[in-house]
Amino acid sequence: AKLVDLTQKNAETIAQQWAKDVKTNPKTYTYHESSDEKIIREAKKFYENFLTMFFNESPYEQAKDFFEKFAEEKFKEGIPLHEALYALILMRRHMWLYAEFQAVFNVEIDHRQAVESLSRTILMFDYIMYVVARKFWKLTKLEGLAKDWHEKRSFEEINFKQ
């Protein structure tokens, strides 16, 4: 898995390239005001951990653990779901752009490895997108329940006082 090795070894550089993109892309508007240091650290952590997820026998479980935390952080920061997902799409894209720029896959034998890497990477990102969307949904639902509870309690307090 040359792509994964390359990504892990060059996590800082790829994270910096991703940060430049996410801070200027119109589809990730709420990231524009984020500090470079914060989002580079976030992407670098992802790229460094991708190897573990990629080769794990239970990649879904590995992705679930890591990306439920990511989703919760983005939710608390007020990042809309569509922007958080697009930022992840850009992370994947920058992995491939970096590998392509480095001409990692250039011989016939590497072609098969590239296809296998691509398939596994797509599977991982499918899991990641699902986990993040599901966590956002759960948090939104919990937020709605909490709001309903507070409104009901306020209503009961008003009625009780009368």
Side-chain angles (χ1 to χ4, degrees), residues 105-118:
F105 303 111
N106 57 8
V107 293
E108 193 61 34
I109 296 169
D110 285 345
H111 180 70
R112 186 177 56 79
Q113 287 179 323
V115 170
E116 288 172 7
S117 251
L118 178 60

Side-chain angles (χ1 to χ4, degrees), residues 50-160:
F50 192 72
L51 179 74
T52 307
M53 289 184 271
F54 191 88
F55 289 112
N56 195 293
E57 287 186 28
S58 302
Y60 175 78
E61 290 304 316
Q62 188 75 29
K64 183 176 176 267
D65 293 343
F66 189 86
F67 284 97
E68 280 191 350
K69 291 174 189 157
F70 169 86
E72 196 164 338
E73 288 171 15
K74 298 299 125 198
F75 185 84
K76 287 178 181 175
E77 291 170 17
I79 305 279
L81 175 59
H82 61 281
E83 290 189 36
L85 292 177
Y86 198 73
L88 289 168
I89 289 167
L90 291 174
M91 281 185 187
R92 178 186 62 204
R93 184 164 194 264
H94 278 276
M95 285 172 61
W96 282 101
L97 288 173
Y98 190 82
E100 192 174 280
F101 180 74
Q102 300 298 316
V104 171
F105 303 111
N106 57 8
V107 293
E108 193 61 34
I109 296 169
D110 285 345
H111 180 70
R112 186 177 56 79
Q113 287 179 323
V115 170
E116 288 172 7
S117 251
L118 178 60
S119 295
R120 185 72 173 186
T121 300
I122 289 170
L123 176 65
M124 288 304 308
F125 273 88
D126 289 349
Y127 289 157
I128 290 165
M129 298 297 177
Y130 174 79
V131 166
V132 169
R134 190 186 72 197
K135 185 66 175 185
F136 260 78
W137 176 79
K138 285 181 178 180
L139 291 168
T140 302
K141 194 171 180 176
L142 284 173
E143 192 175 71
L145 289 173
K147 184 179 175 189
D148 290 347
W149 183 83
H150 287 296
E151 287 174 359
K152 182 180 178 189
R153 186 170 171 145
S154 295
F155 179 75
E156 289 171 357
E157 286 174 2
I158 292 169
N159 284 338
F160 182 72

Side-chain angles (χ1 to χ4, degrees), residues 32-50:
H32 293 188
E33 300 302 315
S34 298
S35 77
D36 288 354
E37 182 181 307
K38 181 184 179 297
I39 62 174
I40 288 170
R41 185 175 52 247
E42 176 182 294
K44 186 177 174 191
K45 184 178 175 184
F46 164 76
Y47 290 131
E48 289 172 344
N49 286 295
F50 192 72

